Every structure is written in structure tokens, then in C-alpha cells.
Amino acid sequence: MTRSGLEGVVVADTRLSEVDGERGRLVVAGHDIEGLAGGTSFEALAELLWTGALPQAGAQGRTREALAEGRARAFARLEAAGPGRFADGMDALRATTAQLAADDGFDTPAALTGAVAVFAAAWARVRAGGRPVAPDRSLPHAADYLRMIEGEAPTPARAAALEAYLVTVADHGMNASTFAARVVASTGSDPVSAIVAAIGALKGPLHGGAPGPVLDMLDAIGEPDQAAQWVEAELAAGRRIMGMGHRIYRVRDPRAAVLEAALGRLEQAGVTGGRLALARAVERAAEGALRAKYPDRALAANVEFYTAVLLDAVGLGRTAFSPTFAVGRVAGWCAHVLEQRATGRLIRPASRYVGPPG
Ligand code: COA
């Protein structure tokens, strides 16, 4: 029997993350996401994914240095890559990353993770009419990403909010882009090719392309008291509510709560995108309407819902949302490539022929 969408099919043993859809829990290499997103640096999270352990206190320099080196080397490649000619940030990211050669030193997790941040930032910068900004080795990865987009170092509160986001999305079980990366890695191909495939998968609106449309939706709704009516009309027209529903979670995505908390911290620091109250009203309305339409299928907010509100409050334009997702998720993709190479077998499933008989 065909398992539509491979739902429920286990394709790998992994030590990287566990997604418990019934209880709404995400564990990354033995650590709850709530604890990690509350203060772990992106560097430490990357080290956890790539080595299996968080760095000892005071020993975070190694990964920070490797990421900074990756950013510097990628920036040196930037002119030839020319991300600005692409209207879409994910097209730019895919094309620029594809120009890296694994045999040129871009086959390590830190080199690739550094490169994705540089290319995503350069695209956002060039599309806004500026010139790419060179990375700053002295800054942490998240802060430098914002700096390369904006031209100046961000406030600590904005850098911390972005860092919480990057940590939150770095890995998430066998999602579609991670699976794409593992399929390519399983053939013995190089890590650059695996990451390029993953970027292509992440681009789709059913995966990483939803946060931009979530913000479009909030704009279209405008006021909290319009939420219920708007959501009802969308569902009646047969359209999906972006940022709601998930293949695995049968309760609210725990990452939605983590990002909502990061938004709260940002507001306390005086930074507000002004959309949090509206977002909460839309979430309530959408949850209610979806419960009425699909009483047997719990459809609640997913990570993308509050991603949109958080990245907007941090100051990123909506076209940069999906590339920024890749800036975080690439750490997980790289970890899965390592794991696939170390323990996996060629991924080659079967299909059922339903065409005319020969
Ligand atoms: N709005 C309206 N209806 C939705 C919905 C949403 N956000 N999510 C699911 N549904 C509907 C489906 O259309 C399906 O209805 P049908 O049986 O009449 O066709 C039913 O609920 C069950 O869907 P399900 O099997 O749970 O969806 P899935 O596992 O195939 O897809 C998503 C999961 C995430 C692709 C889906 O929920 C979706 O499209 N969400 C919006 C996009 C989004 O937020 N993506 C980011 C994911 S992190």
C-alpha cells in the first residue's frame, strides 16, 4: 500500500532531534527546545548538533571561530556568485550555494553554515539597493547576520531574538528539506549538493515558505475583531490558513510558544513590531474555525506563525524570512549529512506502478 506523503514512515535512526507530535515536545540531542531557545548561543547549538554535546562553559570559541572563518571565505566568493540578480531570496541562496565546490573547503558544517548566512544577507542587502557587507569575525553568528543585512551591529535585544529563532529552527526531525539533504548524502554525493537540494525543498510554501504569507494574512486582516470573519471566508473559499496545521504535531507546535516567549522578551526591551496582539487574535480565530471544520484533526499554530511576527519585529523584510529559516536550519542539514554518511544506507524507496499494462 502506498503511504501518501510517507506519513509515519521511519526512514532513519537519528541522534539529532525528536519530534513528539502527540505531546507537543521537541528534544534536540537530549535537550528540550524551551531550555535551548532561552539562552543557548547558535554556536553552542551548532556544536551540539555536529558533535553531540554542548560546549563546556567558556569553550565556545572553537565553533564561533570556525563559523567566522566560513563567513569570511564565503564572502570572498561572493562577487562571482552575484545573488542580486535573483528576485527571490531562495533562488539566490540555492544558486550561490551551488557555486561552492566541496573540494574547495566548503565540505564542513561550519563552512557551509557560514556561507549560507553570508549569501542570504548579501541577497537581502543588494535587493534593498546596498552593497554586500563583509562579515565581522568578532561578532557572534546571529548578530553578524543582521549586521551584514543592515550595515551596522544590531542592539543586543534584536540579536538575542534572532538567535533564539535560529536555535529554535536549527533541527526538526525528518522534515522535507532534511530528508532531501539525506537522500542526496545517501548517494555518496558531496555536502554542497545535499544543502542545495535542501534549500530547494525549504522554498516550498508547505514547508519553509509560509511566514511571508502569514504576515500578508495579518496585514489583510488588519484588526483583531476582523479575524474570525476573515478566517471563515478563507476556509469557505477552500484556502489554507498559513501558519496553521502540521504533519506531525497534533497539538500546538512547541516552537510557536518558544518564539512567542522570545517576542515577549523583545517587547520588554522596547522593540515591537506591533503585530503580537493581532497575531494572537488570528491564532485563536483560526484554531476555532479549523476545529469546527476538522473536528477529528487538531490543527493549531505551527512554527511559521510566530516566525513571521518575530522576524518582522526584529526588523527583517518578509522576503528575507525563508532565507533566514535556511540560515538556522542549515546547521541541522549539515548534522544530518554527517549522520547519513556515518550510519546510513542508500535511500532508494519503491513506487507502485498504476499506469497502463505493458
Ligand atoms: N488551513 C486549512 N486547512 C488545513 C490546514 C490549514 N492551515 N492544514 C490542514 N488543513 C486541512 C487539509 O486541507 C486537510 O483537509 P482535506 O482532508 O479536506 O483535504 C486536513 O486539514 C488534514 O490535513 P493534514 O493531513 O493535517 O495536512 P498535511 O499533513 O498534509 O499538511 C501542512 C501539513 C503543514 C502542509 C498543512 O497543515 C498546511 O498546508 N498548513 C499551512 C501551510 C504552513 O503553515 N506550512 C508551514 C508548515 S511548518
Side-chain angles (χ1 to χ4, degrees), residues 97-135:
T97 305
Q99 294 195 12
L100 300 175
D103 59 7
D104 222 5
F106 283 97
D107 56 351
T108 67
L112 279 166
T113 302
V116 166
V118 167
F119 296 156
W123 177 81
R125 182 91 184 146
V126 171
R127 293 303 288 186
R131 289 185 56 77
V133 173

Side-chain angles (χ1 to χ4, degrees), residues 13 40 47 66 75 80 89-90 92 97 102 108 120 122 137 150 163 202-203 227 229 237 253 255 272 288 311 317 324:
D13 289 338
T40 306
E47 198 163 317
F75 190 77
M90 293 301 279
T97 305
T108 67
R137 280 175 177 273
E150 297 173 349
E163 185 149 49
L202 189 69
K203 183 185 175 192
Q229 197 187 357
D253 184 334
R255 299 167 301 170
T272 165
L311 295 185
T324 303

Side-chain angles (χ1 to χ4, degrees), residues 16-20 24-40 45 48-49 163-172 249 252-259 261 265 303 329:
L16 296 170
S17 61
E18 182 186 26
V19 182
D20 183 338
R25 202 167 162 229
L26 169 60
V27 172
V28 179
H31 301 264
D32 273 314
I33 195 62
E34 287 82 0
L36 291 171
T40 306
L45 195 277
L48 173 65
L49 285 169
E163 185 149 49
Y165 168 73
L166 297 179
V167 165
T168 301
V169 301
D171 199 49
H172 197 245
Y249 292 118
R252 194 176 189 237
D253 184 334
R255 299 167 301 170
V258 164
L259 296 183
R265 291 196 293 275
V303 66
R329 180 59 58 87

Side-chain angles (χ1 to χ4, degrees), residues 25 28 38 50 53 56 92 126 128 137 178 194 232 235 246 276 283 286 290 307 310 313 315:
R25 202 167 162 229
V28 179
W50 299 339
Q56 302 287 337
V126 171
R137 280 175 177 273
T178 296
E232 293 291 353
L235 289 180
H246 198 271
L276 186 52
E283 182 189 2
L290 287 166
T307 290
L310 179 74

Side-chain angles (χ1 to χ4, degrees), residues 205-207 210 235 239-247 250 255 290 294 297 299 302-304:
L206 299 189
H207 188 6
L235 289 180
R239 286 190 284 269
R240 292 189 176 202
I241 310 300
M242 287 294 126
M244 301 295 295
H246 198 271
R247 172 58 60 84
R250 293 294 157 251
R255 299 167 301 170
L290 287 166
Y294 300 101
R297 182 89 170 180
L299 296 167
N302 62 49
V303 66
E304 310 267 15

